[in-house]
Amino acid sequence: MARQAMTLIGGGPVGALLAQLLAKRGFAVTVFEKRSDPRRIGFKRGRTINLAIAERGLQALRTAGLAERALQKSVMMRGRMVHPLGGEAGLQRYGVDDSEVIWSISRSGLNALLVDAAEEAGATFHFGQTLVSADIDEQCLSLIDREDVQRDYGAGLLIGADGAGSALRAAMDLYQPLGIRVEPLGHGYKELEIPPAADHRRFAIEPHALHIWPRGGYMSIATPNIAGSFNVTLFLPLHGPHPSFDTLRDAATASAFFGRDFPDLAPLMPRFADDYDGHPVGKLATLYLDRWHIDGRAVLVGDAAHAIAPFHGQGMNCGFEDTVVLAELLAGCGRDTAGAFAKFQQIRKPNADAIAAMTLENYVEMRDSVADPRYLAKLELSTRMTQWSPEYFMSRYRMVTFTLLPYAYAYERGRVQNQVLEQLLRDFPRAGDVPQDVAMSALQAALPPLPSLL
Ligand code: FAD
C-alpha cells in the first residue's frame, strides 16, 4: 500500500521535529519552508538566538532519539540570577537540585539538528518555498520561491507548522472560520548581546543561570550560548510614557537609560549601539483559536495553533509536546484523520490555554515580583512545604518546567496551592513562623496527593 502523504508547512523547530516523528512512523513527509536551509546560513541576527528547553521538550526529543545530541549543544541553567537595581545579584534556584535545571540552546543549532534527523528518517525538505495560498477542498498549495516563481502542489494531509503568522491558518480560516483571537500584550522586545569575556572563551557573567534585571513594568534577561556569549532581551511597553519603545527609539536615548537602569549590564555590551539600532522590535501577543483543524484535511500545530508570549520559556516546549501527541494519534487512526485531528485538539487545547494563562502571570512575576518581599516570603514558604511534604506540594513552576503533568493540571493545582500559601501568610506574616503541622493540615484539606510522576 502507498505510504500516506503528509505535507507540512514550516520547518521550524516544531515542523522539523514532527516531520521526523511522522517519517519514522512510515508516512511520506514533505516540508515546505520559506527560509533557507538552517544548516547552511544560520539565523538572521535580531531574532531570538536561543531557547530554553525544559522537561517537556526534552521528553519529546527523547521520543525522537535526539535528547543527548541536543543537550551536547546546550548550557545548563540552574535558576534565575536576579540583579536588583543597586543590590547584589542572587540565584533563585528553579528546582530542588541539579536534577531540575533548564537548558539554553541556539535556535539555529537546534533547528539544524532536527532537520538533519528528519531527513535521516526519510522526510523531504524544500527550502526557500513560501506558502501563499491553499485550496483546502482540493488540498492544493500555491507556493512561491526566491525568484518569485509560483507553482501549485497537490498535497496530502496538510499540517500547518508555520508559526504565529501562519499562512495555512489564514487559508483554513477563509475556508471555514477558525474563531481566531489575537490578544496583543502591548509589550515588545529587542535583542542585544553580551560577547564572551576578553579571552574569547570565558563567559562575562555566571553561565549557569538565566539572568534577570527586573525593573517593575519592564526588564532585561540574558541566557548563555555555548560559545561564551549571552543573548540579552529587553522587554518594554511598546507605547506610552518613558520607558517604552516609543521613548527609546534609538541607541542614543537607550544607552543613557541602560546606564541608569541596568548599570551592571550596560558595560558588558560593547556593541550596544549597533545592536540596538540594527535589531527590530518584536511584538508579543497570545493567539487563541476555537478550532485547530478542518475535518480530516488540515490541522495546525505549535505556534500556528497557540502562539504565546515567551515568559515561561514554554512556547517551543509546548509545541514539542504537540508533535508527540499528533504523531501517535495519526499513526493509530487508520484513515480516520478527522478523528485524530479532533482528538488532538481535545487533548492539547486545554493545555495550550493553560500555559498561555500561566505565561502571562509569569511575566508579572519576572518583571515585578522576583524582587518583592511578599513574593520572596511565598517562595520561602513554598520551599519549606516542598521539604515537609513533597507528595502534596510542588511549586507550579516546577510542575510546568520539570514534570510532564498536563499544563491544565499544573494551572489548577497551582491556583489552589497559592490560596493555601496566601492564607498561611495572612495568619503568620513571616514564612519562618508558619508551623509545619498547620501548613500541612491546610494543604491536605485543600488537595489530594500529587499523582505519581513516573
Ligand atoms: P516557528 O519557530 O515560528 O517556525 C515556523 C516556521 O515556519 C519558520 O521556520 C518559518 O520560516 C516557516 N514559515 C512561516 N511562514 C511560512 C510560509 N508561508 N511558508 C513556508 N514556511 C513558512 N519557547 C521555549 O520553549 N523556550 C524559550 O526559551 C523561548 N524563548 C522565546 C523567546 C522569544 C523572545 C520569543 C519571541 C519566543 C520564545 N519561545 C520560547 C517560543 C518559541 O520561539 C516558539 O514557540 C517556537 O519557535 C515555535 O515553533 P514553531 O516551529 O511552531 O514556529
mmCIF file of all heavy atoms in Angstrom, residues 9-15 32-35 47-48 50-53 107 111 129-132 161-167 189 191 233 235 284 301-304 308 310 313-318, ligand 1:
data_model
loop_
_atom_site.group_PDB
_atom_site.id
_atom_site.type_symbol
_atom_site.label_atom_id
_atom_site.label_comp_id
_atom_site.label_asym_id
_atom_site.label_seq_id
_atom_site.Cartn_x
_atom_site.Cartn_y
_atom_site.Cartn_z
ATOM 1 N N ILE A 9 3.741 22.624 6.336
ATOM 2 C CA ILE A 9 4.183 23.973 6.005
ATOM 3 C C ILE A 9 4.961 24.463 7.216
ATOM 4 O O ILE A 9 4.423 24.542 8.321
ATOM 5 C CB ILE A 9 2.994 24.937 5.759
ATOM 6 C CG1 ILE A 9 1.981 24.312 4.809
ATOM 7 C CG2 ILE A 9 3.497 26.278 5.235
ATOM 8 C CD1 ILE A 9 2.528 23.940 3.473
ATOM 9 N N GLY A 10 6.239 24.816 7.004
ATOM 10 C CA GLY A 10 7.077 25.301 8.099
ATOM 11 C C GLY A 10 8.008 24.216 8.617
ATOM 12 O O GLY A 10 7.559 23.157 9.069
ATOM 13 N N GLY A 11 9.307 24.501 8.512
ATOM 14 C CA GLY A 11 10.324 23.572 9.013
ATOM 15 C C GLY A 11 11.083 24.191 10.169
ATOM 16 O O GLY A 11 12.293 24.029 10.302
ATOM 17 N N GLY A 12 10.369 24.944 11.016
ATOM 18 C CA GLY A 12 10.961 25.470 12.256
ATOM 19 C C GLY A 12 11.098 24.320 13.242
ATOM 20 O O GLY A 12 10.974 23.144 12.867
ATOM 21 N N PRO A 13 11.344 24.619 14.535
ATOM 22 C CA PRO A 13 11.555 23.520 15.484
ATOM 23 C C PRO A 13 10.392 22.521 15.539
ATOM 24 O O PRO A 13 10.619 21.308 15.539
ATOM 25 C CB PRO A 13 11.743 24.225 16.836
ATOM 26 C CG PRO A 13 11.548 25.682 16.608
ATOM 27 C CD PRO A 13 11.532 25.946 15.136
ATOM 28 N N VAL A 14 9.173 23.020 15.554
ATOM 29 C CA VAL A 14 8.028 22.109 15.683
ATOM 30 C C VAL A 14 7.814 21.311 14.395
ATOM 31 O O VAL A 14 7.643 20.087 14.418
ATOM 32 C CB VAL A 14 6.755 22.898 16.092
ATOM 33 C CG1 VAL A 14 5.517 22.022 16.023
ATOM 34 C CG2 VAL A 14 6.935 23.471 17.503
ATOM 35 N N GLY A 15 7.857 21.999 13.245
ATOM 36 C CA GLY A 15 7.664 21.309 11.965
ATOM 37 C C GLY A 15 8.734 20.258 11.731
ATOM 38 O O GLY A 15 8.443 19.131 11.305
ATOM 39 N N PHE A 32 7.608 22.206 3.313
ATOM 40 C CA PHE A 32 7.935 23.444 2.606
ATOM 41 C C PHE A 32 8.275 24.514 3.626
ATOM 42 O O PHE A 32 7.479 24.809 4.523
ATOM 43 C CB PHE A 32 6.747 23.903 1.739
ATOM 44 C CG PHE A 32 6.488 22.979 0.592
ATOM 45 C CD1 PHE A 32 5.444 22.066 0.633
ATOM 46 C CD2 PHE A 32 7.315 22.989 -0.520
ATOM 47 C CE1 PHE A 32 5.214 21.188 -0.418
ATOM 48 C CE2 PHE A 32 7.096 22.117 -1.588
ATOM 49 C CZ PHE A 32 6.042 21.210 -1.531
ATOM 50 N N GLU A 33 9.448 25.099 3.494
ATOM 51 C CA GLU A 33 9.942 26.083 4.468
ATOM 52 C C GLU A 33 10.373 27.336 3.709
ATOM 53 O O GLU A 33 11.123 27.264 2.749
ATOM 54 C CB GLU A 33 11.132 25.478 5.250
ATOM 55 C CG GLU A 33 11.975 26.453 6.024
ATOM 56 C CD GLU A 33 11.200 27.333 7.014
ATOM 57 O OE1 GLU A 33 10.436 26.793 7.817
ATOM 58 O OE2 GLU A 33 11.369 28.580 6.948
ATOM 59 N N LYS A 34 9.900 28.480 4.198
ATOM 60 C CA LYS A 34 10.181 29.701 3.438
ATOM 61 C C LYS A 34 11.635 30.171 3.563
ATOM 62 O O LYS A 34 12.181 30.767 2.648
ATOM 63 C CB LYS A 34 9.185 30.796 3.804
ATOM 64 C CG LYS A 34 9.512 31.688 4.945
ATOM 65 C CD LYS A 34 8.489 32.813 5.049
ATOM 66 C CE LYS A 34 8.606 33.463 6.407
ATOM 67 N NZ LYS A 34 7.501 34.350 6.728
ATOM 68 N N ARG A 35 12.278 29.857 4.678
ATOM 69 C CA ARG A 35 13.673 30.301 4.832
ATOM 70 C C ARG A 35 14.632 29.378 4.087
ATOM 71 O O ARG A 35 14.251 28.312 3.634
ATOM 72 C CB ARG A 35 14.063 30.277 6.303
ATOM 73 C CG ARG A 35 13.332 31.274 7.130
ATOM 74 C CD ARG A 35 14.146 31.591 8.391
ATOM 75 N NE ARG A 35 13.335 32.383 9.274
ATOM 76 C CZ ARG A 35 12.754 31.910 10.372
ATOM 77 N NH1 ARG A 35 12.928 30.663 10.737
ATOM 78 N NH2 ARG A 35 12.021 32.694 11.115
ATOM 79 N N ARG A 47 16.734 37.931 15.635
ATOM 80 C CA ARG A 47 15.658 37.017 16.027
ATOM 81 C C ARG A 47 16.102 36.367 17.314
ATOM 82 O O ARG A 47 17.275 36.398 17.647
ATOM 83 C CB ARG A 47 15.470 35.936 14.956
ATOM 84 C CG ARG A 47 14.636 36.405 13.802
ATOM 85 C CD ARG A 47 13.720 35.299 13.340
ATOM 86 N NE ARG A 47 12.818 34.913 14.413
ATOM 87 C CZ ARG A 47 12.108 33.806 14.407
ATOM 88 N NH1 ARG A 47 12.188 32.962 13.428
ATOM 89 N NH2 ARG A 47 11.306 33.514 15.409
ATOM 90 N N THR A 48 15.209 35.713 18.036
ATOM 91 C CA THR A 48 15.642 35.092 19.281
ATOM 92 C C THR A 48 16.741 34.105 18.974
ATOM 93 O O THR A 48 16.595 33.238 18.129
ATOM 94 C CB THR A 48 14.506 34.333 19.973
ATOM 95 O OG1 THR A 48 14.094 33.325 19.104
ATOM 96 C CG2 THR A 48 13.398 35.240 20.313
ATOM 97 N N ASN A 50 18.532 32.170 21.239
ATOM 98 C CA ASN A 50 18.474 30.873 21.897
ATOM 99 C C ASN A 50 17.160 30.653 22.639
ATOM 100 O O ASN A 50 16.391 31.575 22.873
ATOM 101 C CB ASN A 50 19.683 30.615 22.798
ATOM 102 C CG ASN A 50 20.010 31.803 23.640
ATOM 103 O OD1 ASN A 50 19.140 32.616 23.892
ATOM 104 N ND2 ASN A 50 21.242 31.904 24.074
ATOM 105 N N LEU A 51 16.954 29.398 22.958
ATOM 106 C CA LEU A 51 15.688 28.955 23.534
ATOM 107 C C LEU A 51 15.996 28.087 24.732
ATOM 108 O O LEU A 51 17.007 27.378 24.737
ATOM 109 C CB LEU A 51 14.958 28.072 22.508
ATOM 110 C CG LEU A 51 14.509 28.766 21.222
ATOM 111 C CD1 LEU A 51 14.251 27.735 20.137
ATOM 112 C CD2 LEU A 51 13.232 29.560 21.495
ATOM 113 N N ALA A 52 15.109 28.119 25.726
ATOM 114 C CA ALA A 52 15.291 27.240 26.887
ATOM 115 C C ALA A 52 14.484 25.962 26.667
ATOM 116 O O ALA A 52 13.290 26.022 26.374
ATOM 117 C CB ALA A 52 14.813 27.948 28.146
ATOM 118 N N ILE A 53 15.159 24.833 26.802
ATOM 119 C CA ILE A 53 14.462 23.541 26.721
ATOM 120 C C ILE A 53 14.227 23.058 28.140
ATOM 121 O O ILE A 53 15.152 23.027 28.954
ATOM 122 C CB ILE A 53 15.298 22.454 26.025
ATOM 123 C CG1 ILE A 53 15.823 22.943 24.683
ATOM 124 C CG2 ILE A 53 14.476 21.184 25.830
ATOM 125 C CD1 ILE A 53 16.601 21.866 23.932
ATOM 126 N N ARG A 107 18.831 28.513 18.716
ATOM 127 C CA ARG A 107 17.678 28.169 17.877
ATOM 128 C C ARG A 107 18.143 27.555 16.561
ATOM 129 O O ARG A 107 17.611 26.542 16.117
ATOM 130 C CB ARG A 107 16.872 29.446 17.612
ATOM 131 C CG ARG A 107 15.602 29.234 16.826
ATOM 132 C CD ARG A 107 14.978 30.563 16.445
ATOM 133 N NE ARG A 107 14.258 31.194 17.510
ATOM 134 C CZ ARG A 107 12.959 30.987 17.760
ATOM 135 N NH1 ARG A 107 12.263 30.149 17.033
ATOM 136 N NH2 ARG A 107 12.367 31.625 18.740
ATOM 137 N N ASN A 111 17.521 23.760 15.300
ATOM 138 C CA ASN A 111 16.751 23.563 14.072
ATOM 139 C C ASN A 111 17.532 22.707 13.064
ATOM 140 O O ASN A 111 16.986 21.792 12.427
ATOM 141 C CB ASN A 111 16.392 24.918 13.455
ATOM 142 C CG ASN A 111 15.056 24.917 12.733
ATOM 143 O OD1 ASN A 111 14.553 25.939 12.350
ATOM 144 N ND2 ASN A 111 14.462 23.762 12.521
ATOM 145 N N GLN A 129 10.717 28.106 -0.024
ATOM 146 C CA GLN A 129 9.384 27.941 -0.632
ATOM 147 C C GLN A 129 8.346 28.480 0.347
ATOM 148 O O GLN A 129 8.171 27.925 1.431
ATOM 149 C CB GLN A 129 9.096 26.459 -0.863
ATOM 150 C CG GLN A 129 10.041 25.761 -1.807
ATOM 151 C CD GLN A 129 9.693 26.053 -3.269
ATOM 152 O OE1 GLN A 129 8.537 26.307 -3.591
ATOM 153 N NE2 GLN A 129 10.708 26.046 -4.118
ATOM 154 N N THR A 130 7.685 29.560 -0.048
ATOM 155 C CA THR A 130 6.705 30.204 0.832
ATOM 156 C C THR A 130 5.292 29.855 0.397
ATOM 157 O O THR A 130 4.951 30.009 -0.790
ATOM 158 C CB THR A 130 6.879 31.739 0.772
ATOM 159 O OG1 THR A 130 8.213 32.037 1.144
ATOM 160 C CG2 THR A 130 5.914 32.460 1.697
ATOM 161 N N LEU A 131 4.496 29.389 1.347
ATOM 162 C CA LEU A 131 3.085 29.144 1.028
ATOM 163 C C LEU A 131 2.388 30.491 0.883
ATOM 164 O O LEU A 131 2.475 31.341 1.768
ATOM 165 C CB LEU A 131 2.417 28.355 2.169
ATOM 166 C CG LEU A 131 0.926 28.115 1.948
ATOM 167 C CD1 LEU A 131 0.699 27.025 0.903
ATOM 168 C CD2 LEU A 131 0.234 27.740 3.254
ATOM 169 N N VAL A 132 1.688 30.685 -0.261
ATOM 170 C CA VAL A 132 0.926 31.937 -0.392
ATOM 171 C C VAL A 132 -0.570 31.711 -0.252
ATOM 172 O O VAL A 132 -1.276 32.550 0.276
ATOM 173 C CB VAL A 132 1.258 32.706 -1.704
ATOM 174 C CG1 VAL A 132 2.557 33.435 -1.569
ATOM 175 C CG2 VAL A 132 1.284 31.817 -2.915
ATOM 176 N N ALA A 161 2.699 24.101 10.411
ATOM 177 C CA ALA A 161 3.669 24.344 11.495
ATOM 178 C C ALA A 161 4.401 25.634 11.144
ATOM 179 O O ALA A 161 5.601 25.753 11.372
ATOM 180 C CB ALA A 161 4.635 23.169 11.610
ATOM 181 N N ASP A 162 3.653 26.580 10.563
ATOM 182 C CA ASP A 162 4.299 27.784 10.029
ATOM 183 C C ASP A 162 4.187 28.975 10.973
ATOM 184 O O ASP A 162 4.166 30.128 10.550
ATOM 185 C CB ASP A 162 3.805 28.113 8.615
ATOM 186 C CG ASP A 162 2.289 28.061 8.455
ATOM 187 O OD1 ASP A 162 1.609 27.505 9.340
ATOM 188 O OD2 ASP A 162 1.767 28.578 7.441
ATOM 189 N N GLY A 163 4.131 28.701 12.248
ATOM 190 C CA GLY A 163 4.351 29.740 13.256
ATOM 191 C C GLY A 163 3.204 30.713 13.452
ATOM 192 O O GLY A 163 2.106 30.554 12.898
ATOM 193 N N ALA A 164 3.482 31.739 14.269
ATOM 194 C CA ALA A 164 2.433 32.660 14.717
ATOM 195 C C ALA A 164 1.708 33.355 13.561
ATOM 196 O O ALA A 164 0.525 33.657 13.653
ATOM 197 C CB ALA A 164 3.049 33.702 15.646
ATOM 198 N N GLY A 165 2.425 33.617 12.465
ATOM 199 C CA GLY A 165 1.770 34.304 11.331
ATOM 200 C C GLY A 165 1.289 33.327 10.276
ATOM 201 O O GLY A 165 1.181 33.701 9.104
ATOM 202 N N SER A 166 0.978 32.110 10.655
ATOM 203 C CA SER A 166 0.683 31.002 9.731
ATOM 204 C C SER A 166 -0.167 31.367 8.501
ATOM 205 O O SER A 166 -1.300 31.856 8.618
ATOM 206 C CB SER A 166 -0.060 29.917 10.525
ATOM 207 O OG SER A 166 -0.551 28.918 9.671
ATOM 208 N N ALA A 167 0.390 31.064 7.315
ATOM 209 C CA ALA A 167 -0.357 31.275 6.067
ATOM 210 C C ALA A 167 -1.384 30.164 5.876
ATOM 211 O O ALA A 167 -2.457 30.396 5.317
ATOM 212 C CB ALA A 167 0.609 31.312 4.885
ATOM 213 N N TYR A 189 9.947 43.398 22.387
ATOM 214 C CA TYR A 189 11.281 43.021 22.845
ATOM 215 C C TYR A 189 12.332 43.380 21.789
ATOM 216 O O TYR A 189 12.024 43.505 20.609
ATOM 217 C CB TYR A 189 11.341 41.524 23.169
ATOM 218 C CG TYR A 189 11.161 40.610 21.980
ATOM 219 C CD1 TYR A 189 12.254 40.123 21.280
ATOM 220 C CD2 TYR A 189 9.893 40.251 21.531
ATOM 221 C CE1 TYR A 189 12.099 39.296 20.181
ATOM 222 C CE2 TYR A 189 9.725 39.421 20.444
ATOM 223 C CZ TYR A 189 10.823 38.947 19.771
ATOM 224 O OH TYR A 189 10.655 38.142 18.680
ATOM 225 N N GLU A 191 16.572 42.418 20.884
ATOM 226 C CA GLU A 191 17.672 41.523 21.236
ATOM 227 C C GLU A 191 19.031 42.193 21.125
ATOM 228 O O GLU A 191 19.322 42.895 20.161
ATOM 229 C CB GLU A 191 17.585 40.277 20.382
ATOM 230 C CG GLU A 191 16.347 39.547 20.838
ATOM 231 C CD GLU A 191 16.176 38.207 20.207
ATOM 232 O OE1 GLU A 191 16.648 38.037 19.084
ATOM 233 O OE2 GLU A 191 15.565 37.353 20.852
ATOM 234 N N THR A 233 17.722 40.046 26.124
ATOM 235 C CA THR A 233 16.453 40.534 25.578
ATOM 236 C C THR A 233 15.895 41.606 26.505
ATOM 237 O O THR A 233 15.749 41.371 27.708
ATOM 238 C CB THR A 233 15.423 39.382 25.452
ATOM 239 O OG1 THR A 233 16.063 38.247 24.880
ATOM 240 C CG2 THR A 233 14.260 39.780 24.573
ATOM 241 N N PHE A 235 12.681 43.698 27.443
ATOM 242 C CA PHE A 235 11.218 43.723 27.301
ATOM 243 C C PHE A 235 10.693 45.047 27.832
ATOM 244 O O PHE A 235 11.006 45.420 28.976
ATOM 245 C CB PHE A 235 10.577 42.575 28.099
ATOM 246 C CG PHE A 235 10.909 41.212 27.572
ATOM 247 C CD1 PHE A 235 11.949 40.469 28.116
ATOM 248 C CD2 PHE A 235 10.180 40.653 26.527
ATOM 249 C CE1 PHE A 235 12.258 39.198 27.640
ATOM 250 C CE2 PHE A 235 10.483 39.377 26.044
ATOM 251 C CZ PHE A 235 11.525 38.658 26.598
ATOM 252 N N LEU A 284 4.713 41.177 21.015
ATOM 253 C CA LEU A 284 4.274 39.971 21.709
ATOM 254 C C LEU A 284 2.750 39.911 21.780
ATOM 255 O O LEU A 284 2.103 40.936 22.007
ATOM 256 C CB LEU A 284 4.845 39.950 23.125
ATOM 257 C CG LEU A 284 6.371 39.927 23.181
ATOM 258 C CD1 LEU A 284 6.859 40.162 24.605
ATOM 259 C CD2 LEU A 284 6.914 38.616 22.643
ATOM 260 N N VAL A 301 -0.340 23.055 14.298
ATOM 261 C CA VAL A 301 0.421 22.664 15.498
ATOM 262 C C VAL A 301 1.368 23.793 15.901
ATOM 263 O O VAL A 301 1.682 24.667 15.098
ATOM 264 C CB VAL A 301 1.321 21.408 15.285
ATOM 265 C CG1 VAL A 301 0.524 20.148 15.223
ATOM 266 C CG2 VAL A 301 2.204 21.563 14.065
ATOM 267 N N GLY A 302 1.872 23.715 17.128
ATOM 268 C CA GLY A 302 2.863 24.681 17.610
ATOM 269 C C GLY A 302 2.310 26.102 17.586
ATOM 270 O O GLY A 302 1.104 26.325 17.795
ATOM 271 N N ASP A 303 3.181 27.064 17.313
ATOM 272 C CA ASP A 303 2.766 28.464 17.351
ATOM 273 C C ASP A 303 1.629 28.770 16.372
ATOM 274 O O ASP A 303 0.871 29.709 16.600
ATOM 275 C CB ASP A 303 3.955 29.382 17.031
ATOM 276 C CG ASP A 303 4.790 29.706 18.263
ATOM 277 O OD1 ASP A 303 4.675 28.965 19.268
ATOM 278 O OD2 ASP A 303 5.550 30.693 18.229
ATOM 279 N N ALA A 304 1.511 28.030 15.295
ATOM 280 C CA ALA A 304 0.436 28.287 14.331
ATOM 281 C C ALA A 304 -0.924 28.111 15.001
ATOM 282 O O ALA A 304 -1.900 28.772 14.647
ATOM 283 C CB ALA A 304 0.560 27.348 13.137
ATOM 284 N N ILE A 308 2.256 31.932 22.134
ATOM 285 C CA ILE A 308 2.177 32.569 23.456
ATOM 286 C C ILE A 308 3.389 33.484 23.636
ATOM 287 O O ILE A 308 4.346 33.400 22.875
ATOM 288 C CB ILE A 308 2.138 31.525 24.607
ATOM 289 C CG1 ILE A 308 3.353 30.583 24.553
ATOM 290 C CG2 ILE A 308 0.840 30.741 24.573
ATOM 291 C CD1 ILE A 308 3.428 29.588 25.715
ATOM 292 N N PRO A 310 6.847 34.782 25.582
ATOM 293 C CA PRO A 310 7.959 33.898 25.965
ATOM 294 C C PRO A 310 8.266 33.817 27.453
ATOM 295 O O PRO A 310 9.286 33.265 27.831
ATOM 296 C CB PRO A 310 9.138 34.533 25.225
ATOM 297 C CG PRO A 310 8.787 35.959 25.072
ATOM 298 C CD PRO A 310 7.301 36.039 24.992
ATOM 299 N N GLY A 313 9.134 30.467 28.953
ATOM 300 C CA GLY A 313 10.057 29.641 28.174
ATOM 301 C C GLY A 313 9.414 28.327 27.763
ATOM 302 O O GLY A 313 10.059 27.275 27.753
ATOM 303 N N GLN A 314 8.115 28.356 27.403
ATOM 304 C CA GLN A 314 7.412 27.097 27.137
ATOM 305 C C GLN A 314 6.825 26.993 25.730
ATOM 306 O O GLN A 314 6.263 25.961 25.383
ATOM 307 C CB GLN A 314 6.287 26.898 28.167
ATOM 308 C CG GLN A 314 6.800 26.484 29.539
ATOM 309 C CD GLN A 314 7.337 25.064 29.574
ATOM 310 O OE1 GLN A 314 6.775 24.154 28.988
ATOM 311 N NE2 GLN A 314 8.459 24.868 30.252
ATOM 312 N N GLY A 315 6.921 28.057 24.922
ATOM 313 C CA GLY A 315 6.272 28.008 23.597
ATOM 314 C C GLY A 315 6.717 26.801 22.789
ATOM 315 O O GLY A 315 5.899 26.011 22.300
ATOM 316 N N MET A 316 8.015 26.650 22.636
ATOM 317 C CA MET A 316 8.526 25.530 21.853
ATOM 318 C C MET A 316 8.316 24.209 22.601
ATOM 319 O O MET A 316 7.979 23.186 21.990
ATOM 320 C CB MET A 316 10.005 25.735 21.564
ATOM 321 C CG MET A 316 10.617 24.595 20.795
ATOM 322 S SD MET A 316 12.400 24.729 20.713
ATOM 323 C CE MET A 316 12.866 24.469 22.412
ATOM 324 N N ASN A 317 8.511 24.240 23.913
ATOM 325 C CA ASN A 317 8.303 23.016 24.700
ATOM 326 C C ASN A 317 6.881 22.486 24.512
ATOM 327 O O ASN A 317 6.660 21.287 24.353
ATOM 328 C CB ASN A 317 8.576 23.301 26.180
ATOM 329 C CG ASN A 317 10.072 23.413 26.481
ATOM 330 O OD1 ASN A 317 10.744 22.407 26.590
ATOM 331 N ND2 ASN A 317 10.585 24.627 26.570
ATOM 332 N N CYS A 318 5.918 23.414 24.516
ATOM 333 C CA CYS A 318 4.516 23.040 24.319
ATOM 334 C C CYS A 318 4.314 22.498 22.900
ATOM 335 O O CYS A 318 3.655 21.473 22.700
ATOM 336 C CB CYS A 318 3.654 24.285 24.573
ATOM 337 S SG CYS A 318 1.906 24.030 24.337
HETATM 338 P P1 FAD B 1 8.350 28.958 14.348
HETATM 339 O O1 FAD B 1 9.554 28.791 15.169
HETATM 340 O O2 FAD B 1 7.824 30.334 14.125
HETATM 341 O O3 FAD B 1 8.652 28.282 12.950
HETATM 342 C C1 FAD B 1 7.744 28.436 11.872
HETATM 343 C C2 FAD B 1 8.486 28.106 10.595
HETATM 344 O O4 FAD B 1 7.577 28.246 9.504
HETATM 345 C C3 FAD B 1 9.632 29.079 10.333
HETATM 346 O O5 FAD B 1 10.777 28.355 10.000
HETATM 347 C C4 FAD B 1 9.131 29.932 9.189
HETATM 348 O O6 FAD B 1 10.151 30.386 8.323
HETATM 349 C C5 FAD B 1 8.186 28.982 8.457
HETATM 350 N N1 FAD B 1 7.127 29.674 7.723
HETATM 351 C C6 FAD B 1 6.394 30.737 8.152
HETATM 352 N N2 FAD B 1 5.505 31.115 7.190
HETATM 353 C C7 FAD B 1 5.697 30.260 6.155
HETATM 354 C C8 FAD B 1 5.087 30.143 4.868
HETATM 355 N N3 FAD B 1 4.111 30.981 4.466
HETATM 356 N N4 FAD B 1 5.523 29.169 4.031
HETATM 357 C C9 FAD B 1 6.511 28.323 4.430
HETATM 358 N N5 FAD B 1 7.125 28.398 5.626
HETATM 359 C C10 FAD B 1 6.716 29.341 6.474
HETATM 360 N N6 FAD B 1 9.982 28.816 23.644
HETATM 361 C C11 FAD B 1 10.556 27.940 24.510
HETATM 362 O O7 FAD B 1 10.102 26.793 24.644
HETATM 363 N N7 FAD B 1 11.629 28.316 25.266
HETATM 364 C C12 FAD B 1 12.150 29.583 25.197
HETATM 365 O O8 FAD B 1 13.114 29.892 25.904
HETATM 366 C C13 FAD B 1 11.551 30.530 24.309
HETATM 367 N N8 FAD B 1 12.029 31.791 24.219
HETATM 368 C C14 FAD B 1 11.450 32.670 23.361
HETATM 369 C C15 FAD B 1 11.901 33.996 23.319
HETATM 370 C C16 FAD B 1 11.294 34.930 22.492
HETATM 371 C C17 FAD B 1 11.760 36.367 22.507
HETATM 372 C C18 FAD B 1 10.214 34.516 21.652
HETATM 373 C C19 FAD B 1 9.541 35.502 20.734
HETATM 374 C C20 FAD B 1 9.762 33.203 21.682
HETATM 375 C C21 FAD B 1 10.354 32.276 22.547
HETATM 376 N N9 FAD B 1 9.891 30.956 22.635
HETATM 377 C C22 FAD B 1 10.453 30.081 23.530
HETATM 378 C C23 FAD B 1 8.779 30.495 21.795
HETATM 379 C C24 FAD B 1 9.317 29.737 20.580
HETATM 380 O O9 FAD B 1 10.164 30.589 19.844
HETATM 381 C C25 FAD B 1 8.170 29.266 19.710
HETATM 382 O O10 FAD B 1 7.161 28.685 20.492
HETATM 383 C C26 FAD B 1 8.675 28.235 18.703
HETATM 384 O O11 FAD B 1 9.624 28.824 17.852
HETATM 385 C C27 FAD B 1 7.508 27.708 17.901
HETATM 386 O O12 FAD B 1 7.990 26.840 16.926
HETATM 387 P P2 FAD B 1 7.173 26.650 15.578
HETATM 388 O O13 FAD B 1 8.004 25.708 14.758
HETATM 389 O O14 FAD B 1 5.757 26.317 15.888
HETATM 390 O O15 FAD B 1 7.135 28.109 14.914
#
